[in-house]
Amino acid sequence: METITTPAGIELAFDRYVGGDAGTVILIGGAFGYRKFPKMVRLAERLAETYRLTVINYDRRGRGDSSDSPGDFRVENEIDDIAALVEAAGGSAALFGWSSGAVLALLAAARVPGITKVVAFEPPFVVDRKNFVPAADLQVRLHELIAADRRAETAKFYLTKAMGMPRAFTAIMRFTPMWKNMMATANSTAHDWAVMSPYMRGKPLDAAEWSTVTVPTLVLSGGRSGALLRTGAEAIAAVLPNARHCEIAKLSHNPDIELLAPAAGGFLAEQADDDRFGSANP
């Protein structure tokens, strides 16, 4: 484990996987994610071993071994964290984001110098009212639960009210090995909601808002994921000025890394002026 301290005094913990000469990519997890999550570890290993990328896999603030800013959940904070990591990487890096981490990656790409590419895996934009739409005032109750440190309730609340999971599914999850880790990261979900709340209103995305995300971007979705995630991926790819969308037939939001890594790694490891990857669905 390595650490850096950001200009705001946040300590960020990360693991560095040294690959080869294909550049650096920073991995950004989604809600309840953390750097030791097995699938994130496996993705880091594959990108380094097979695609010669140096991978920085970090704990977002409030998770794992990183510190937090209790009560201060502004998106700008996490963008500043990414800027500090890019600087630590030598001033240049690509970003890979998963779920809310994908949206955070896109927001950072518009504001942080030195970001070269983005892979956005299933950013959960809610662009119509055909499926689940979270309540507009969700953060009021979420912040109350976090302030009271009621982690089990916070996890259940976020899963059902922010992510739209069925209550029966969350009840089952309480008896799985992953529940302990979900409770450990539950209080960080306010950071995820700060990222996602403007973009889960059931309204089309505003192309003008995303016009400054000009870096080459690959938006990935899975054929086995729900309609909401597939629609959101298509919607953001359509408004970004330099993006492609790929849907991988057998992939889901809980991805098979052996399916995800070739798509992400192939795009990230190509030279910026190489146009070969991303125009077709794998």
Side-chain angles (χ1 to χ4, degrees), residues 4-145:
I4 60 169
T5 301
T6 73
I10 296 295
E11 185 173 88
L12 298 176
F14 63 95
D15 297 321
R16 192 191 308 255
Y17 299 75
V18 179
D21 58 357
T24 297
V25 58
I26 298 168
L27 305 187
I28 309 173
F32 302 104
Y34 54 102
R35 83 179 197 284
K36 292 299 186 183
F37 182 64
K39 292 201 173 186
M40 195 65 94
V41 171
R42 181 56 183 152
L43 177 61
E45 292 172 342
R46 285 281 276 118
L47 293 177
E49 293 167 1
T50 306
Y51 298 96
R52 312 182 326 280
L53 291 155
T54 293
V55 183
I56 292 177
N57 182 20
Y58 81 107
D59 283 321
R60 287 171 59 183
R61 63 171 63 193
R63 311 166 195 229
D65 294 302
S66 291
S67 62
D68 201 3
S69 51
D72 185 359
F73 305 116
R74 291 171 296 158
V75 177
E76 291 77 13
N77 292 336
E78 289 210 274
I79 293 175
D80 289 344
D81 293 347
I82 292 170
L85 288 166
V86 171
E87 184 177 350
S92 176
L95 304 178
F96 171 96
W98 180 352
S99 197
S100 64
V103 180
L104 178 57
L106 293 170
L107 293 171
R111 308 182 198 183
V112 176
I115 293 175
T116 57
K117 290 185 179 182
V118 173
V119 176
F121 174 51
E122 297 200 327
F125 293 102
V126 180
V127 297
D128 57 42
R129 305 192 73 85
K130 296 178 182 178
N131 298 289
F132 170 75
V133 179
D137 62 350
L138 182 147
Q139 77 174 39
V140 175
R141 182 58 177 159
L142 178 63
H143 289 187
E144 288 175 351
L145 290 170

Side-chain angles (χ1 to χ4, degrees), residues 31-32 99 132-134 155-173 178-179 182 200 228-229 253-254:
F32 302 104
S99 197
F132 170 75
V133 179
K156 289 188 294 181
F157 180 81
Y158 200 84
L159 286 165
T160 56
K161 300 301 184 181
M163 298 174 66
M165 296 284 188
R167 289 182 178 274
F169 179 79
T170 60
I172 292 170
M173 290 186 70
M178 71 178 67
W179 186 248
M182 295 188 79
M200 300 187 84
L228 185 150
L229 291 169
H253 200 61
N254 181 23

